[in-house]
């Protein structure tokens, strides 16, 4: 199975609220562009990356809250494909 389809197996792979995240991140902030925003993150629901950026900009900072706000994680794969991508965006949140 491709890596992007795997579900995080370790609790440390789950996004933490900003207060619980270390202040120094070794992740580069995500470069935002029009083309990057048009990429589909949630394949089942067809949700584009810009929808997740809007949620992050609105202050939503947990995986569960992002799923509730955007509808991701409720498709046929139940977040197995988009979950790791969303976690990556949360890790890059600065």
């Amino acid at each position: 199975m491709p890596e992007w389809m795997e579900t995080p197996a370790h609790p440390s792979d789950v996004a933490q609220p900003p207060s619980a995240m270390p202040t120094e991140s070794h992740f580069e902030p995500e470069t935002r562009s029009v083309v990057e925003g048009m990429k589909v993150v949630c394949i089942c629901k067809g949700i584009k990356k810009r929808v997740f950026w809007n949620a992050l900009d609105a202050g939503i900072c947990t995986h569960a809250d992002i799923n509730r706000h955007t509808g991701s994680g409720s498709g046929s794969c139940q977040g197995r494909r988009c979950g790791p991508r969303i976690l990556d965006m949360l890790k890059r949140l600065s």
Side-chain angles (χ1 to χ4, degrees):
M1 179 176 340
E3 181 181 322
W4 58 268
M5 289 182 68
E6 294 178 4
T7 306
H10 194 271
S12 66
D13 292 341
V14 179
Q16 301 294 321
S19 59
M21 295 178 85
T23 55
E24 292 183 22
S25 176
H26 63 278
F27 293 99
E28 291 289 324
E30 189 168 30
T31 304
R32 295 184 182 189
S33 67
V34 173
V35 173
E36 190 68 24
M38 291 172 34
K39 292 182 178 177
V40 175
V41 174
C42 179
I43 297 167
C44 298
K45 297 282 192 159
I47 304 169
K48 296 184 182 346
K49 193 175 265 192
R50 70 173 178 264
V51 173
F52 294 97
W53 288 343
N54 291 338
L56 295 171
D57 291 344
I60 299 171
C61 57
T62 66
H63 194 178
D65 288 341
I66 286 177
N67 283 347
R68 273 192 294 278
H69 182 77
T70 64
S72 60
S74 61
S76 59
C77 80
Q78 294 296 296
R80 286 187 298 273
R81 290 186 278 198
C82 63
R85 296 174 188 180
I86 295 168
L87 289 174
D88 184 54
M89 283 190 276
L90 286 169
K91 288 177 185 176
R92 293 176 186 277
L93 187 63
S94 50

